[in-house]
Amino acid sequence: MSFINKHVVKASAPLKSAHFPFPRGEKLFDAMSWCTTDYYTKASSGQPFEARGVLVIGESRQGKSHEIKRLRKKFNDGSVIMPDGRPVKIIHCILSGKVTWKDLGVKILGLLGYELKGRRTQAYIWEKVIEYAELQGVVGIHFDECQHVFSDEGERTNQQILDSFKTLLKETRWPLMLILSGIPSLAMHVAKEEQLARLLRTVHFESIDVTQKTDMDELLQLTFSYAEKAGLDIGSLATTDFLERLAFASCNRWGLVIEMLIEAFTNCQIHGDAICSTEHFSNAYSKIYSTPIGYSPFTIPNYRESFDQDKLMDILKRTR
């Protein structure tokens, strides 16, 4: 008995490694290029300067982290060389819960490979962050799920975090570019610190709007692109009704659509089917949301009245 299903691995691996070129990916690249070009130009002068950053906003499961990770991997491949002749990189820090700025400094030091010994002050910790970032050629930090460090009640703490982000951008010895990503509420918090907001370029990851032809066309291209990768026939599913059901079942989140496509096409392949049907998508829906098989937006006539998207997202939060 093996815990690894090799048939599933063979079917799903090419799909999970695939990349669909969304227009938002181009906007994100432009924003990161803007920051990097600005950083390089200022660093060339040899004078103290402030860095810029990117604010990436969108509902959960829109694919923000995936797109940023893809560009960060390209950035970190050694091809970005600063005026001092060294290749540079951007590190990633996920914020899973409420933390103090001191705690965050300790976490960043860990990512930089520095083992903190004994009790240290917040100032000491962040001095070490700057020191080791410079030594290792780290010119930026991606703070993922950034909304978690803010709260509606902690106005004073929120301002301290905002001031600290601003300080990293303005650190004259070794400024750090920032990528702050999170849900839409993050933008409201950032807007409260005018100087920080001025240094950030915002990239929006919008939800699917089935009333927009551009979104429907993109949804169709995405579906056919993954089907082609899987070597499956989905001609019978190329209808407006199916695409609207796919968007609805995925709570209008692009990331969830991709997850649904991968699950459905994998299901189709391991059963030896060459033609993908609504049944495969219904089974994929049941697996993703942990619901009974056969009851899904792909099979129920009045699906909009039968399913609540907010509750579906709650299910995902509880099961993931």
Side-chain angles (χ1 to χ4, degrees), residues 147-192:
Q147 71 276 0
H148 288 305
V149 298
F150 299 103
S151 67
D152 294 332
E153 298 80 24
E155 196 167 322
R156 181 179 176 183
T157 303
N158 291 349
Q159 189 58 49
Q160 289 175 342
I161 294 290
L162 292 171
D163 286 340
S164 298
F165 281 147
K166 181 179 65 177
T167 298
L168 291 181
L169 291 167
K170 290 175 170 287
E171 172 55 64
T172 56
R173 292 164 299 173
W174 189 255
L176 290 167
M177 295 185 291
L178 299 182
I179 303 174
L180 309 180
S181 63
I183 61 176
S185 62
L186 174 60
M188 294 186 288
H189 289 297
V190 170
K192 294 177 182 177

Side-chain angles (χ1 to χ4, degrees), residues 19-284:
H19 173 70
F20 183 80
F22 287 101
R24 67 196 188 184
E26 296 177 10
K27 293 179 181 178
L28 180 59
F29 174 81
D30 287 343
M32 288 183 64
S33 176
W34 171 73
C35 291
T36 308
T37 302
D38 177 78
Y39 195 102
Y40 183 94
T41 303
K42 292 174 178 175
S44 299
S45 71
Q47 300 297 317
F49 65 93
E50 59 186 24
R52 296 182 181 273
V54 184
L55 177 63
V56 186
I57 298 298
E59 296 289 356
S60 60
R61 312 303 279 270
Q62 288 289 11
K64 301 185 299 296
S65 297
H66 175 78
E67 288 284 0
I68 296 171
K69 180 181 179 181
R70 186 180 69 86
L71 290 182
R72 194 169 57 83
K73 184 177 180 180
K74 287 187 176 182
F75 188 99
N76 293 348
D77 67 4
S79 61
V80 182
I81 309 295
M82 283 292 130
D84 63 4
R86 293 189 300 161
V88 291
K89 59 185 177 181
I90 296 172
I91 61 174
H92 169 256
C93 178
I94 187 166
L95 305 178
S96 57
K98 190 72 176 176
V99 293
T100 65
W101 189 246
K102 181 178 180 179
D103 293 334
L104 196 52
V106 172
K107 189 170 185 177
I108 297 298
L109 276 181
L111 294 174
L112 293 171
Y114 181 84
E115 184 180 350
L116 196 63
K117 297 179 180 179
R119 303 177 73 134
R120 300 292 184 176
T121 65
Q122 176 175 294
Y124 175 89
I125 291 169
W126 280 100
E127 283 287 326
K128 286 297 179 183
V129 168
I130 299 302
E131 178 185 338
Y132 273 77
E134 182 176 7
L135 285 172
Q136 296 180 24
V138 172
V139 295
I141 304 175
H142 170 211
F143 289 108
D144 201 359
E145 300 292 345
C146 197
Q147 71 276 0
H148 288 305
V149 298
F150 299 103
S151 67
D152 294 332
E153 298 80 24
E155 196 167 322
R156 181 179 176 183
T157 303
N158 291 349
Q159 189 58 49
Q160 289 175 342
I161 294 290
L162 292 171
D163 286 340
S164 298
F165 281 147
K166 181 179 65 177
T167 298
L168 291 181
L169 291 167
K170 290 175 170 287
E171 172 55 64
T172 56
R173 292 164 299 173
W174 189 255
L176 290 167
M177 295 185 291
L178 299 182
I179 303 174
L180 309 180
S181 63
I183 61 176
S185 62
L186 174 60
M188 294 186 288
H189 289 297
V190 170
K192 294 177 182 177
E193 176 45 64
E194 185 178 347
Q195 289 188 56
L196 174 62
R198 178 180 59 82
L199 293 170
L200 302 176
R201 176 175 287 187
T202 303
V203 177
H204 294 277
F205 277 49
E206 304 290 356
S207 299
I208 300 169
D209 183 352
V210 295
T211 67
Q212 298 294 318
K213 184 178 184 303
T214 52
D215 280 15
M216 290 295 281
D217 288 345
E218 197 164 15
L219 197 55
L220 182 63
Q221 291 175 26
L222 175 65
T223 303
F224 268 93
S225 175
Y226 273 80
E228 183 179 358
K229 189 78 174 176
L232 298 173
D233 180 357
I234 59 162
S236 62
L237 301 180
T239 66
T240 298
D241 178 66
F242 171 76
L243 293 176
E244 288 180 350
R245 288 173 182 268
L246 175 60
F248 183 90
S250 305
C251 299
N252 298 318
R253 315 292 171 94
W254 290 105
L256 266 178
V257 167
I258 292 174
E259 190 174 337
M260 193 76 68
L261 292 174
I262 292 174
E263 194 64 56
F265 293 159
T266 299
N267 178 269
C268 185
Q269 285 182 298
I270 63 176
H271 283 89
D273 299 325
I275 300 175
C276 195
S277 67
T278 55
E279 182 181 352
H280 296 113
F281 277 91
S282 183
N283 289 338

